[in-house]
Structure formats: structure tokens, C-alpha cells
């Protein structure tokens, strides 16, 4: 994660006539064996093309769980040094990413970048000082907590989908990958290219609960396990969204001057680990040992390019 941040910072610090746009896309809970270049049964043609045209990172490591990875990405600091080493921020936990920590979008905004986050935040909910629009982002569209329904956008009886600091009730009922894709495409299509663009797109996919439109689940009718079939449908839905986002870059003549970074925040979770984790999952980290929540490579060695 620190390497990725250093690469991005190095690009910005270089004296260029036209600083590059930067697109950072994060998958959530994606297994090591859940992309087509590791497993031909998985349908991820758009991600595979981007990986093949760039640099595939086969020794890329994240933190073993969501919040610490996101904090490390946006601060360039290990979780033990940014206060996020205790794990995920649950909805009722009264803290967030320390406001004394300088974030990547704050630095990029000082370099005249327009800064957007489209998707999952998970770095503080209890006080607006922790919200993305107060941590360096010009705009945020998405949700603040760690996981929820993909269609109703609810968790524990509350609705969590926002357009900046306004509740986006009109998005109730639409699949989150569709919403994230649409907003990212809109931002790209209307971007004023007199300023470089930094867009951070942390997808909800493929974090639980396992939910996907039938058209994607039906692509895996050959898979007997229903959880795995739904999960892989979610992977392909995310791949389609990434494909539409990159196509928007091309149509807007931004693609050739855009640095694209993509990775998973941790390895895929598996059913029954840790022992108190009873929720069903469909991920696969083969041939790596372990899963999300563990320091083994199945939890920390993540797919990336």
C-alpha cells in the first residue's frame, strides 16, 4: 500500500506540463483466486485487459481487513501509526481516522487536483469531521459504513447512501455497483480538463451480504454451490462497472493521461473463519493459506495491478 502511495506521489511531484489523472479502484474482500488471470472459470475480461496492458502485481500486500487498509492507503502510514490498528470501525464506534493525519486527497488538492470518492468510506461515521468531504475530497457519493444491503442500502435499520452530506434516498432499490459506475462515468464525462482528476472508487463489491442481479448470477449456472455462484456474479458485475468507467475515460480523451491502480483491500473471507464468523461467503484464495482476518497470505496477499 505504501508503495502504491509512493508511486502516485512521485508522479505528482514530477514537473509535468499536464499532470496525470489518477484513478484508484479498490475491490472489497476479493479472493486471490477470483480473477480470470488466476482462475479461468472467473469472468473478468475488463480487469484482465487492464492488468495485461499494465503491470500485474503478484506480490502485493494489503492489511487483513477493511479499515486499516483504507487508512494506510489514504495516509501512507501503517495502521499502528495512524490509529486504525484495532480493526474495522463498526457503526456505533465513536472514532475515525485521526484528523491530524494528512490524507492523499488533501495533498493532491494542494497540487490543484479535483478530488472525488465514489463508493465506500469506512474511516469514520460518528462525527462529520471524519467524513470524506472534510478529509480532502471535494465530493463523496456512496456510503460511510463498512457493509450493507446492495439494493436497499440499509444496515441495522438505518439507510446509508449519501451525495456529499445529503441522504440519497432516490438511490434506494438500485444495485450499488450500478450506482458507483454511473456516478464515476458522470464525473469523468463532465470533468474540466484544465485541472487533473483524482478519483478514488472503493466498490462495495464483493463484501457480504452476497447479492447480485440475476443476469450476473446466471452467467455461472455451471457452478453448483449457490454462494459461489452469487459471489462470482458479483465479481463480474464489478468487472463490467470497471469496464464502463475506463470506457468513459477513453470517450473523454482522458485515458492516455490517467494512472489506474486497482487492488483488493484484503483477501477473501471464508465460511467459518474466524470461528465466530457464521455468514456465508463464496470467495477462494487458492493456493494461498488463510483468509480475510488472518495474517497468512490468504488474508494479506491481494490481487492488484
Amino acid at each position: 500500500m505504501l508503495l502504491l502511495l509512493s508511486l502516485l506521489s512521485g508522479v505528482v511531484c514530477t514537473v509535468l506540463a499536464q499532470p496525470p489523472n489518477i484513478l484508484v479502484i479498490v475491490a472489497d474482500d476479493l479472493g486471490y483466486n477470483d480473477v480470470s488471470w488466476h482462475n479461468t472459470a472467473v469472468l473478468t475480461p475488463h480487469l484482465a485487459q487492464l492488468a495485461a496492458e499494465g503491470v500485474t502485481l503478484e506480490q502485493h500486500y494489503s492489511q487483513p481487513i477493511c479499515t486499516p487498509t483504507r487508512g494506510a492507503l489514504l495516509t501512507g502510514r501503517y495502521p499502528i501509526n495512524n490509529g486504525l490498528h484495532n480493526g474495522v470501525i463498526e457503526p456505533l464506534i465513536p472514532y475515525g481516522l485521526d484528523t491530524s493525519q494528512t490524507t492523499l486527497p488533501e495533498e493532491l488538492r494542494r497540487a490543484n487536483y479535483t478530488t472525488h470518492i465514489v463508493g465506500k468510506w469506512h474511516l469514520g461515521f460518528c462525527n462529520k469531521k471524519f467524513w470524506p468531504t472534510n478529509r480532502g475530497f471535494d465530493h463523496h457519493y456512496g456510503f460511510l459504513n463498512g457493509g450493507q444491503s446492495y439494493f436497499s442500502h440499509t444496515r441495522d435499520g438505518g439507510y446509508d447512501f449519501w451525495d456529499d452530506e445529503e441522504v440519497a434516498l432516490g438511490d434506494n432499490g438500485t444495485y450499488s455497483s450500478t450506482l458507483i459506475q454511473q456516478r464515476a462515468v458522470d464525473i469523468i464525462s463532465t470533468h474540466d480538463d484544465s485541472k487533473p482528476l483524482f478519483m478514488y472508487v472503493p466498490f462495495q463489491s464483493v463484501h457480504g451480504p452476497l447479492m447480485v442481479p440475476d443476469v450476473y448470477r446466471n452467467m455461472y449456472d455451471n457452478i453448483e454451490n449457490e454462494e459461489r455462484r452469487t459471489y462470482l456474479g458479483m465479481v463480474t458485475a464489478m468487472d463490467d462497472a470497471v469496464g464502463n468507467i475506463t470506457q468513459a475515460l477513453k470517450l473523454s480523451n482522458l485515458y492516455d493521461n490517467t494512472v489506474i491502480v486497482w487492488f483488493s483491500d484484503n483477501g477473501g473471507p471464508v465460511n467459518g473463519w474466524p470461528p465466530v464468523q457464521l455468514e456465508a461467503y463464496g470467495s477462494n484464495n487458492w493456493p494461498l493459506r488463510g483468509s480475510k482476518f488472518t495474517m497468512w497470505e490468504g488474508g494479506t496477499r491481494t490481487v492488484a495491478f
Side-chain angles (χ1 to χ4, degrees):
M1 207 63 60
L2 292 173
L3 173 60
L4 292 176
L5 186 61
S6 298
L7 289 172
L8 295 179
S9 300
V11 168
V12 175
C13 293
T14 303
V15 177
L16 296 172
Q18 291 182 315
N21 306 298
I22 302 170
L23 173 61
V24 178
I25 306 174
V26 178
D28 197 331
D29 288 4
L30 186 64
Y32 190 80
N33 199 38
D34 295 332
V35 290
S36 58
W37 58 95
H38 290 167
N39 182 349
T40 57
V42 182
L43 304 175
T44 56
H46 302 104
L47 291 169
Q49 182 176 356
L50 289 171
E53 293 175 352
V55 179
T56 305
L57 305 176
E58 294 290 14
Q59 296 286 338
H60 177 269
Y61 290 86
S62 300
Q63 297 297 314
I65 199 166
C66 305
T67 296
T69 290
R70 296 161 199 277
L73 170 68
L74 293 184
T75 65
R77 296 172 179 264
Y78 286 112
I80 192 66
N81 294 321
N82 66 23
L84 298 176
H85 54 286
N86 288 323
V88 299
I89 298 177
E90 299 289 353
L92 299 181
I93 291 180
Y95 72 87
L97 176 62
D98 192 327
T99 55
S100 69
Q101 303 275 339
T102 302
T103 66
L104 176 61
E106 287 173 333
E107 292 289 354
L108 290 173
R109 192 153 64 177
R110 280 194 279 269
N112 201 38
Y113 275 74
T114 299
T115 58
H116 293 265
I117 170 175
V118 184
K120 171 177 171 175
W121 178 236
H122 210 192
L123 288 174
F125 173 78
C126 67
N127 190 308
K128 285 188 177 180
K129 69 181 182 181
F130 297 124
W131 290 22
T133 48
N134 293 313
R135 303 312 314 272
F137 287 102
D138 297 326
H139 297 285
H140 170 232
Y141 177 75
F143 59 106
L144 296 168
N145 282 298
Q148 58 191 14
S149 167
Y150 280 75
F151 291 98
S152 69
H153 315 301
T154 55
R155 174 173 178 167
D156 300 329
Y159 184 86
D160 181 17
F161 214 87
W162 303 80
D163 196 341
D164 289 334
E165 296 185 2
E166 299 295 325
V167 180
L169 285 172
D171 295 324
N172 187 358
T174 303
Y175 192 63
S176 72
S177 291
T178 302
L179 293 171
I180 290 169
Q181 163 206 299
Q182 289 174 343
R183 177 55 62 91
V185 168
D186 287 346
I187 291 169
I188 292 166
S189 301
T190 59
H191 176 64
D192 178 1
D193 61 8
S194 66
K195 297 179 68 174
L197 171 67
F198 171 60
M199 187 160 60
Y200 171 43
V201 184
F203 277 92
Q204 180 175 359
S205 303
V206 285
H207 194 286
L210 300 183
M211 305 175 77
V212 73
D214 287 341
V215 64
Y216 289 104
R217 183 187 296 107
N218 293 342
M219 293 179 180
Y220 293 95
D221 279 345
N222 58 312
I223 304 294
E224 293 184 5
N225 183 278
E226 184 174 349
E227 295 165 6
R228 179 69 172 163
R229 186 162 61 246
T230 301
Y231 174 91
L232 290 180
M234 296 165 71
V235 173
T236 300
M238 176 177 60
D239 178 82
D240 270 0
V242 171
N244 288 327
I245 292 169
T246 53
Q247 180 64 17
L249 288 171
K250 294 174 181 178
L251 292 174
S252 299
N253 296 317
L254 299 176
Y255 183 80
D256 289 339
N257 192 37
T258 298
V259 177
I260 301 175
V261 178
W262 176 88
F263 63 93
S264 180
D265 64 343
N266 45 250
V270 297
N271 193 31
W273 185 262
V276 297
Q277 187 64 254
L278 301 177
E279 187 175 351
Y281 296 110
S283 62
N284 186 323
N285 297 308
W286 189 89
L288 306 179
R289 179 188 186 188
S291 65
K292 177 183 178 180
F293 304 109
T294 75
M295 292 300 294
W296 289 318
E297 288 209 330
T300 58
R301 183 176 167 187
T302 52
V303 285
F305 56 74

